[in-house]
Amino acid sequence: TSNSTLFVADTGHDRVLQLEIDAAHRSARIEKQIGSGTTGFANGSVGSARFHGPRGLAQSGSTLYVADTQNHAVRAVDLNTGFVRTIAGTGEIGHGPLRSSGDPRQVALRSPWSLWLDRPWLYVALAGSHQIAVIEDEKEMRTFAGDGGERLQDGAALAAGFNQPSDIAGGGGQLYVADPEASAIRRLTTIGKPSVETLVGEGLFEWGDADGFGPSVRLQHPMGLALDGLLYVADTYNHRIKHMDVVTRQVAALAGSGEPGHQDGPFGRARFCLPEGLAVRGRHMFVADTGNHAIRVCDLGTREVWTLTIAD
C-alpha cells in the first residue's frame, strides 16, 4: 500500500473504506468500499460481504485484518482478490473470559475491538472479556494477557486485569494498551515472561484532565493509540489528543481545546468530539473524530488541524 492509502472502519455503516489521499492531505476519494454496507455476517466478495460494527484494522501486505466487533469475529480481506473471510470467532458472543485455544474459527469471542500485527502474531484486544488474545499464523488462538476480571491489576500477563481494552499499538517487544474504563494506559511486554504495568491511571473511578508525569496524570476514557516515537493518545471523553514519552511517562495535551465541537485551526483552539482512532504518517496524524463522523488531520509540523474532505 502506498503512503496515499488510508483504510477507515466506517463503523456505523458496517463497512471499511479504502481512501486515496491527495498530496496535501486535504482531500480524499473513496477508492474501494469493503462490505455491502448492510448489517450481517457473511464472507465473499468485497461487494457482498457483510460486517457488523467493524472497528480496529491491521494490514499485512495484501491482507487487511478487521476487528468485526459486533459479530465478535476477526475477518481478513484479500486486497488483491477482493475476498473476505473469517479467521476467528463464530459470529456468536462468547460467554465469560476466553479460556480455550485452538482453531480460532471455533472460539467464541467477546467484542474484539482492536488489532495489532507483529508477524506471525496478530494481537486482538477483546474489550468484552477484558483480555488480549493472540492469533498465530491464522491457525491457533490463545489468551495472551488478562484473566477476564475487570480491574487495574499489573503483574504476570495471564493474571493481569484490564478494563475494556480498546486499542493496542507497539513494537520492539512492547505493546501499549488503551484501557478506557480505568482511564489508563498500560504496557504489555511480549517477550520473555510477558507482564503488564500501568503507565498512567489509578483505577475505575479516577479520571480527569491533567497533564504531568505518571501518577499525577488524569485521562478520561482514552480509546485510541498510535506509536511513532511518542505515544499519541486519543483522550476520548476529554475531546483531546495527547502525547506521552513512554520512557519518562510525561503526558502533555497536543490538540483540542477540551470542549466538544467541530472546529479546525491551531492545535490549542481546535475542537474534537469523542476522538477514537489514530494513525500517524510522517508529520500528519489522522484522527477518527467519531462524534463528528469525520476524519481530521493534525499537521505535527504547523500544529494545525483540518477536516479531510471525502468524495466518492
Side-chain angles (χ1 to χ4, degrees):
T1 300
S2 70
N3 269 341
S4 63
T5 300
L6 182 71
F7 291 98
V8 177
D10 189 8
T11 306
H13 285 137
D14 299 312
R15 62 184 184 169
V16 176
L17 298 178
Q18 178 180 333
L19 302 183
E20 288 300 316
I21 297 168
D22 75 338
H25 296 74
R26 296 276 175 176
S27 66
R29 59 183 169 80
I30 297 173
E31 179 78 8
K32 185 184 294 181
Q33 174 177 311
I34 300 167
S36 68
T38 305
T39 305
F41 184 51
N43 293 320
S45 69
V46 292
S48 63
R50 293 187 177 192
F51 299 89
H52 190 189
R55 288 186 176 272
L57 306 173
Q59 186 181 359
S60 173
S62 62
T63 302
L64 181 71
Y65 294 102
V66 181
D68 194 5
T69 302
Q70 287 180 261
N71 277 325
H72 310 286
V74 180
R75 318 287 290 280
V77 183
D78 187 317
L79 298 171
N80 289 334
T81 65
F83 193 82
V84 178
R85 67 186 190 277
T86 301
I87 67 159
T90 63
E92 301 290 327
I93 188 169
H95 298 288
L98 179 67
R99 301 246 183 257
S100 55
S101 61
D103 182 349
R105 289 162 299 185
Q106 304 298 319
V107 179
L109 307 177
R110 291 180 68 86
S111 302
W113 210 271
S114 177
L115 305 171
W116 183 261
L117 193 67
D118 187 9
R119 297 191 65 160
W121 297 286
L122 179 66
Y123 293 92
V124 184
L126 295 170
S129 60
H130 316 293
Q131 294 171 295
I132 310 295
V134 65
I135 303 170
E136 186 172 356
D137 278 332
E138 298 187 17
K139 294 187 182 73
E140 185 172 352
M141 185 170 201
R142 59 186 167 83
T143 308
F144 192 82
D147 63 6
E150 185 176 11
R151 66 198 191 288
L152 195 70
Q153 176 74 42
D154 290 346
L158 288 172
F162 293 94
N163 308 267
Q164 295 184 18
S166 67
D167 204 4
I168 41 181
Q174 301 191 319
L175 281 181
Y176 297 90
V177 182
D179 209 18
E181 285 292 298
S183 296
I185 306 296
R186 320 287 292 281
R187 180 159 55 198
L188 169 60
T189 60
T190 58
I191 50 179
K193 289 185 176 175
S195 62
V196 177
E197 64 175 324
T198 300
L199 300 182
V200 164
E202 299 287 314
L204 284 170
F205 306 105
E206 296 291 337
W207 47 267
D209 187 356
D211 295 346
F213 164 81
S216 67
V217 174
R218 291 290 180 271
L219 306 172
Q220 190 175 355
H221 210 84
M223 292 190 70
L225 300 174
L227 183 67
D228 186 46
L230 294 167
L231 183 69
Y232 295 93
V233 179
D235 193 5
T236 304
Y237 285 14
N238 282 326
H239 314 289
R240 292 184 193 265
I241 311 301
K242 298 185 177 178
H243 56 57
M244 174 193 289
D245 182 315
V246 296
V247 176
T248 66
R249 306 186 190 190
Q250 191 84 22
V251 174
L254 179 68
S257 69
E259 294 292 320
H262 188 166
Q263 182 173 317
D264 293 336
F267 275 6
R269 291 211 299 271
R271 290 189 180 194
F272 300 90
C273 184
L274 301 173
E276 288 192 22
L278 300 177
V280 178
R281 287 204 192 141
R283 60 183 259 183
H284 294 101
M285 183 187 331
F286 298 96
V287 180
D289 194 11
T290 305
N292 284 320
H293 308 285
I295 304 294
R296 313 289 293 281
V297 183
C298 298
D299 188 317
L300 300 171
T302 65
R303 300 178 68 85
E304 291 276 331
V305 178
W306 60 84
T307 301
L308 192 68
T309 305
I310 300 173
D312 290 341

